[in-house]
């Protein structure tokens, strides 16, 4: 049995022989730092015992503290021993005589002191943060992937890997829980950045640089914390990673805040302003100054009782996550610092860590709070035009004299689930995957009307283009007459008695179909037909010139009313050859478990052909292009690239030490056994790994030849093949076809621009896939 690397925890050993340890997590391992020896689970072994970060373990104690050894020295002379004893007696006598009067910093440092289990620092719970500036700068982020030198340091205020505060032994039935974020739950934001966020990046930037404000955030998963379990203490730890843009002479401080998870509606899609303006519940103290920020240094914050109570209440109320925000200087001189996120190629593996000392969980968790709702009655429909006009005048008078009405709160509910208009019914049907709802074409009253309809349709088809075809399986809306609103309580009671008697006699009424729409005497819905597609470029220019002339001479077009709806919901793809100038509104969709069928086989990619980076879809069979209207679909397709076809293995990119420098390499994680092994062993960078849908090969990019080239390799690390050969050009971001026979990638060969290329799985028949005067990059072939 080979010995484990020196980075393994010295307290880890086997049950049969505590001097030995397996190289992988195993049930036979014991933690001998505990009395009696503990039984660490396999995830704890992977995160601490078998990793370089074993000193982060809550149970870790340095061997010197457990069994201090005095190195062998030469025998001291008796005179030196006598003088040392005399000096010790003198110090002891002075302390007895003068008591605390001699407790000077210099002398106190010589006396033995007990190390507290958890150092408590003051913490201030807050409501909505008042320290946020009203406006932030609007820069473009600058990211320079560094290769920092990890040099742990220590100061009296903050702990480092060399002197980490010990965590108390949990009480019987309790536990010490150490939480690190997933790669998609940690990252940084920059003001006015085109990208909403940089989740999964190696750096946690905070500060101000080159006219930009940088903020970082971490989302910790609290789902393993039992609801109702008391929290006796907690520690938050961040490790410095980059300081090359830190101006130690610039004024300003860095603060860390805790946010309730509902303070940020959608963490993964939040932009800079949403994160920056989210109200903070707790601000941790002390704030950090430039002298406290160093590469490799661990900054620690202990949670005081008020913060612990707030966190306990969050968990009791059903929260399974908490957000930590890092804010630095937001103006003035350039100064920027970054902590380690634990993700990305430049990470040193020192992820942010939240350590909680938990008491035993209660036998019965506390009940979840009942969310209050406000039941709003429907406003009666005006009986005639005069009533409607009177109500409009009354509302105007109230707005002018008193102010606008109180906006409708978010927890308001109406007593009926029936959609009030066609747009709502269409959106609900689209989200649930039901057939689309389209208005029915009126039946001609006579032959002349039918002839007129046909002639008009023919004229439009010849001059402008054919109508948008009706979706397959579409249904028409069912118009439901509303129940009249009772005029008084007696009428309402009579209606209730009648409905109850009818239900007892005939049974409950048949539920309304999903395509039902409430009808009202006054217009509540304007059906807007799609703007006709120009037949050619000249027509398009004429339409644009006409719109410009109307805007300059008459004014802008009358905006659509708020209750306007289009005849069909917005599809996932808007083909450029059928694109209308004003696309209909997009309903909010739920993320499906699998990719939509209409995207399978398409190639999604970024392009600047629209004037700014946008996601497009290419049908390789027909060459048709389309906008991708929902960006999360690209991220979902990209995530599938890293997983093996059976879902057991995941491809990762991590750094390894090569000739005193850190080089990203491709690794394979076994999700079943939570183990990781290195796949590539190149001296250059290896990244962008993607798994073939056949499961037999993995494509990746390597800089081994001096520039970026595409390789393939078997999952066991054998049969390495180089597919592309260039002198200076780049070939990047491979993606397999659904059948595993081809690879699409982007290259700057021939044109100098980023273009989409395609080749066979063995590297043969390399050719440009899309010839365009624009930059096209980062393709993903949807499977």
């Amino acid at each position: 049995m080979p010995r484990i690397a020196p980075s393994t925890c010295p307290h880890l050993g086997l049950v049969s022989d505590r001097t030995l340890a397996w190289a992988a997590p195993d049930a036979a391992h014991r933690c001998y730092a505990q009395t009696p020896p503990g039984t660490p689970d396999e995830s704890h072994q992977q995160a601490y015992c078998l990793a370089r970060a074993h000193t982060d373990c809550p149970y870790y104690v340095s061997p010197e503290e457990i069994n201090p050894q005095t190195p062998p020295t030469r025998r001291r002379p008796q005179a030196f021993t006598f003088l040392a004893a005399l000096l010790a007696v003198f110090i002891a006598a002075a302390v007895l005589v003068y008591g605390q009067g001699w407790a000077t910093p210099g002398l106190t440092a010589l006396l033995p002191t007990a190390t507290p289990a958890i150092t408590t620092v003051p913490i201030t719970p807050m409501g909505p943060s008042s320290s946020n500036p009203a406006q932030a700068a609007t820069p473009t982020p600058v990211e320079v992937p560094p290769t920092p030198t990890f040099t742990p340091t220590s100061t009296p205020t903050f702990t480092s890997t060399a002197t980490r505060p010990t965590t108390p032994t949990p009480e019987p039935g309790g536990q010490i829980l150490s939480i690190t974020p997933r790669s998609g739950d940690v990252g940084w934001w920059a003001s006015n950045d085109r990208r909403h966020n940089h989740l999964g990046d190696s750096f946690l930037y905070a500060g101000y640089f080159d006219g930009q404000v940088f903020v970082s955030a971490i989302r910790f998963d609290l789902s393993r914390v039992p609801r109702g379990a008391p929290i006796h203490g907690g520690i938050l730890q961040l490790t410095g990673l980059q300081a090359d843009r830190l101006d130690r002479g610039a004024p300003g401080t860095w603060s860390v805040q805790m946010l309730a998870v509902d303070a940020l509606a959608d963490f993964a899609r939040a932009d800079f302003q949403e994160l920056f303006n989210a109200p903070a519940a707790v601000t941790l103290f002390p704030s950090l100054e430039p002298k406290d920020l160093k590469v490799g240094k661990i900054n620690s914050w202990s949670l005081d009782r008020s913060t612990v109570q707030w966190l306990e209440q969050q968990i009791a109320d059903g929260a399974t996550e908490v957000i930590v925000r890092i804010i630095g200087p937001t103006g003035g001189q350039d100064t920027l610092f970054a902590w380690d996120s634990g993700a990305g190629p430049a990470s040193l593996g020192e992820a942010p860590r939240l350590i909680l000392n938990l008491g035993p969980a209660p036998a019965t968790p506390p009940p979840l709070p009942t969310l209050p709702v406000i039941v709003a009655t429907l406003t009666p429909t005006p009986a005639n035009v005069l009533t409607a006009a009177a109500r409009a005048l009354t509302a105007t008078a109230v707005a002018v004299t008193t102010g606008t009405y109180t906006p409708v709160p978010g927890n308001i509910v109406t007593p009926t689930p029936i959609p009030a208009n066609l747009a709502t019914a269409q959106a609900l049907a689209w989200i649930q995957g039901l057939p689309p709802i389209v208005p029915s074409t009126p039946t001609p009253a006579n032959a002349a009307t039918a002839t007129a309809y046909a002639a008009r349709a023919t004229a439009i088809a010849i001059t402008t283009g054919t109508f948008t075809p009706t979706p397959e399986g579409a249904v028409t809306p069912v118009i439901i007459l509303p129940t009249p609103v009772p005029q008084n309580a007696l009428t309402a009671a009579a209606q209730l008695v009648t409905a109850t008697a009818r239900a007892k006699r005939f049974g409950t009424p048949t539920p309304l179909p999903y395509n039902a729409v409430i009808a009202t005497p006054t217009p509540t819905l304007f059906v807007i037909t799609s703007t006709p597609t120009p037949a050619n470029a000249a027509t398009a220019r004429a339409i644009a010139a006409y719109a410009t002339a109307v805007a300059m001479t008459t004014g802008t077009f009358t905006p659509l009313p708020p209750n306007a709806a289009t005849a069909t919901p917005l599809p996932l793809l808007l083909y450029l050859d059928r694109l209308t100038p004003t696309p209909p509104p997009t309903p909010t969709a739920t993320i499906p478990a699998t990719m939509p069928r209409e995207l399978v086989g398409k190639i999604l990619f970024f392009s600047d052909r629209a004037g700014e980076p946008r996601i497009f879809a290419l049908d390789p069979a027909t060459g048709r292009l389309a906008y991708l209207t929902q960006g999360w679909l690209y991220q979902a397709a990209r995530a599938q690239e890293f997983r093996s076809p059976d879902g057991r293995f995941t491809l990762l990119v991590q750094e390894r030490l090569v000739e005193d420098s850190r080089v990203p390499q491709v690794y394979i994680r076994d999700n079943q056994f939570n183990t990781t092994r290195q796949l590539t062993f190149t001296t250059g960078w290896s990244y962008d790994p993607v798994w073939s849908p056949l499961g037999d090969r993995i494509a990746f990019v390597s800089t081994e030849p001096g520039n970026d080239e595409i390789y393939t390799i078997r999952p066991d690390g054998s049969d390495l093949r180089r597919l592309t050969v260039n002198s200076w050009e780049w070939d990047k971001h491979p993606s397999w076809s659904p059948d595993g026979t081809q690879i699409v990638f982007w290259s700057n060969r021939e044109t100098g621009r980023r273009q989409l290329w395609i080749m066979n799985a063995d590297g043969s028949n390399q050719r440009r896939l899309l010839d365009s005067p624009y930059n096209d990059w980062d393709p993903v072939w949807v499977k």
Side-chain angles (χ1 to χ4, degrees), residues 77-122:
Q78 293 183 354
F80 179 85
T81 304
F82 174 77
L83 291 176
L86 182 63
L87 178 61
V89 171
F90 173 75
I91 294 176
V95 171
L96 290 175
V97 173
Y98 294 99
Q100 298 298 326
W102 259 24
T104 62
L107 185 58
T108 305
L110 299 176
L111 301 179
T113 58
T115 302
I118 296 182
T119 305
T120 303
V121 295

Side-chain angles (χ1 to χ4, degrees), residues 145 344-346 638 641-642 651-656 662-667 678-691 698-713 720 724 728-736 745-748 778:
R638 179 63 174 159
E641 302 273 87
F642 308 132
L651 295 171
L652 305 173
V653 176
Q654 297 179 352
E655 286 186 337
R656 65 182 293 265
R662 296 187 177 275
V663 179
Q665 295 294 310
V666 179
Y667 289 75
Q678 186 173 344
L679 178 65
T680 62
F681 294 85
T682 61
T683 58
W685 286 30
S686 294
Y687 60 98
D688 271 353
V690 289
W691 213 303
I698 295 169
F700 65 97
V701 179
S702 177
T703 61
E704 181 80 7
N707 57 330
D708 301 78
E709 303 289 356
I710 297 177
Y711 292 74
T712 63
I713 193 173
L720 177 66
T724 61
W728 63 270
E729 300 89 343
W730 300 339
D731 294 332
K732 295 188 177 187
H733 211 279
S735 180
W736 296 86
F745 60 99
W746 74 261
S747 176
N748 64 344
D778 288 0

